[in-house]
Amino acid sequence: MRNQFPGGRTPGSRKRPALLWLLVPYVLFLAVLPLVNRVTPTVLGLPLLFFWMLVATLLTPVSVWLARRADLKRGRA
């Protein structure tokens, strides 16, 4: 029999809501892409699509860092 937490859960079945931060890049790159696929509005002289991809690329490491930070903090508790 495997080690179990109180309540019958196994160690690998813990809920880890901090990993929801990893959905941010998915949403930025794929889910919102049809909405920003425009050329005519420009932001800082860049087409909206190019600007959006730049912002999404810069926010991806931030979301991964937030997920890792929260997961490590949860692991210490």
Side-chain angles (χ1 to χ4, degrees):
M1 187 168 166
R2 296 187 303 192
N3 294 337
Q4 292 185 347
F5 286 119
R9 294 185 333 186
T10 60
S13 67
R14 298 180 297 177
K15 291 185 180 180
R16 297 163 67 182
L19 296 183
L20 290 175
W21 280 109
L22 298 178
L23 289 177
V24 170
Y26 172 77
V27 170
L28 289 175
F29 279 107
L30 296 177
V32 181
L33 192 59
L35 302 175
V36 297
N37 192 10
R38 308 276 188 269
V39 176
T40 50
T42 59
V43 179
L44 301 174
L46 300 171
L48 181 61
L49 179 61
F50 185 77
F51 179 76
W52 186 262
M53 296 303 275
L54 179 67
V55 168
T57 302
L58 294 175
L59 287 179
T60 296
V62 173
S63 65
V64 171
W65 175 75
L66 286 169
R68 181 179 185 274
R69 183 176 149 227
D71 202 41
L72 288 176
K73 188 182 293 186
R74 184 182 186 279
R76 281 187 241 133

